[in-house]
Amino acid sequence: MGVTEAVIHPLEIGDDKTNWTYDELRQLQNWLEADGLQFSVLEGSVPLTDRIRLGLEGRDDDIEDFKTFIRNCGDLGIPVVCYDWMAGVRWARTGAHIESRGGSLVTGFDNAKIQGGPPVEAAEKSHEEIFDALAYFLEEVVPVAEESGVKLGLHPDDPPRETVRGVPRIANSVENYDRILDVVDSEHNGVTFCQGNFAAMGADIPETIEHFGDRINFIHFRDIEGDEDEFVETWHDDGPTDMHAAMAAYEEFVDDDVPMRPDHVPTMADEDNSNPGYHTKGRLFAIGYMRGLLDSVE
């Protein structure tokens, strides 16, 4: 397919792992390199705890663990780490078998379907307290990332609402991202540009790509139909976003070495939907579509 770089996301490979030793990272790197792939991004399941995200007692110890992880990535030449700031309630979906084109299955979210239930402890924090915790983390960690040659990319809240089950969200608008990037003005404090989430924010995708420019360190190429309150994932060529204009914006405003991946894909015939959004056939389609777009803008 012409793919030369790999993203490791433990959720995709059915693993809830969050802590990584140097030797475990090296093992993954050796495995990928044996098949001609560069280990370019580790995302999602990184050693980042809610004690850090919420500014709780013990966070300094956890931040030290994160710094060690970043140094290990730097020693191995893993250039990008994608992380998120979703405390208490993580990546939220309320549907995993919504029928789409050709009988394929996609995921979706409906805020009305996650209401009720016991209170989430993280909901006791305010937006400002969670922002302060992120600022504290960045001031501690970005200098280590700079020394190690590792770029951080903050993934948007998914969905990018003001709250989810009462828990405040802060990575949910272009304006909030500007504030976060200003905490430490460094290319190592950057954005994971997840198109689906920025689309759910109501942002103009090509304009927002231009806005962030060289602060984009990692890209999730996907689309949704709907908004932050209710949406469904779409096939990459079948959503409302002008994907050709998006690819043209990446080509013009984002560094050539920034990794891009398809992210969530439809489940297709003969796939069991046991890991919704992360099966193979939809990914093959998406990669081909992305390569076609890239060729056309180049």
Side-chain angles (χ1 to χ4, degrees), residues 5 7 25 56 82 123 150 152 162 170 173 176 179 212 218 224 265 270 282 286 289:
E5 303 183 32
V7 176
L25 292 170
L56 302 178
C82 170
V150 176
L152 303 176
E162 281 295 302
I170 59 170
S173 70
N176 283 356
R179 188 183 180 200
F212 288 126
F218 181 36
I224 59 104
V265 301
D270 296 325
Y289 179 63

Side-chain angles (χ1 to χ4, degrees), residues 21-39:
T21 65
Y22 176 92
D23 287 339
E24 288 168 333
L25 292 170
R26 183 70 184 189
Q27 181 183 25
L28 279 175
Q29 187 178 55
N30 290 342
W31 173 56
L32 293 167
E33 289 181 348
D35 283 320
L37 295 168
Q38 177 183 331
F39 189 171

Side-chain angles (χ1 to χ4, degrees), residues 160-174:
R161 304 188 75 255
E162 281 295 302
T163 63
V164 175
R165 291 285 304 278
V167 180
R169 298 300 206 205
I170 59 170
N172 58 358
S173 70
V174 174

Side-chain angles (χ1 to χ4, degrees), residues 185-197:
D185 186 8
S186 167
E187 64 179 357
H188 294 266
N189 173 29
V191 180
T192 290
F193 196 88
C194 180
Q195 280 189 203
N197 289 123

Side-chain angles (χ1 to χ4, degrees), residues 58-256:
R59 68 174 171 179
D60 288 334
D61 291 337
D62 295 349
I63 288 174
E64 288 305 314
D65 290 341
F66 193 91
K67 290 178 181 177
T68 298
F69 161 73
I70 291 296
R71 292 186 182 104
N72 288 340
C73 288
D75 288 346
L76 290 167
I78 301 168
V80 178
V81 168
C82 170
Y83 72 104
D84 69 77
W85 214 255
M86 292 179 275
V89 182
R90 304 298 303 286
W91 185 77
R93 291 294 184 274
T94 56
H97 48 271
I98 301 167
E99 189 165 329
S100 186
R101 188 169 71 192
S104 60
L105 303 177
V106 298
T107 67
F109 173 78
D110 183 347
N111 188 55
K113 294 182 178 180
I114 65 167
Q115 303 310 310
V120 179
E121 186 175 349
E124 298 174 0
K125 294 291 184 178
S126 68
H127 286 87
E128 202 61 26
E129 286 174 317
I130 292 178
F131 174 82
D132 289 344
L134 174 54
Y136 182 92
F137 168 81
L138 291 173
E139 288 166 352
E140 287 287 317
V141 168
V142 173
V144 176
E146 291 174 335
E147 294 168 4
S148 303
V150 176
K151 292 184 177 180
L152 303 176
L154 174 62
H155 189 287
D157 299 326
D158 189 358
R161 304 188 75 255
E162 281 295 302
T163 63
V164 175
R165 291 285 304 278
V167 180
R169 298 300 206 205
I170 59 170
N172 58 358
S173 70
V174 174
E175 294 75 19
N176 283 356
Y177 260 93
D178 286 339
R179 188 183 180 200
I180 291 164
L181 297 180
D182 284 345
V183 170
V184 182
D185 186 8
S186 167
E187 64 179 357
H188 294 266
N189 173 29
V191 180
T192 290
F193 196 88
C194 180
Q195 280 189 203
N197 289 123
F198 280 99
M201 296 175 198
D204 180 284
I205 297 302
E207 287 183 5
T208 308
I209 293 167
E210 179 180 1
H211 175 79
F212 288 126
D214 61 7
R215 297 298 285 273
I216 295 176
N217 290 338
F218 181 36
I219 300 162
H220 284 179
F221 197 78
R222 69 179 180 94
D223 204 9
I224 59 104
E225 180 78 50
D227 58 24
E228 72 272 14
D229 292 326
E230 185 176 359
F231 64 81
V232 295
E233 306 269 4
T234 69
W235 284 68
H236 287 70
D237 66 335
D238 199 31
T241 299
D242 186 336
M243 300 297 250
H244 186 272
M247 190 65 81
Y250 291 127
E251 179 70 12
E252 183 173 359
F253 301 112
V254 179
D255 292 342
D256 290 341

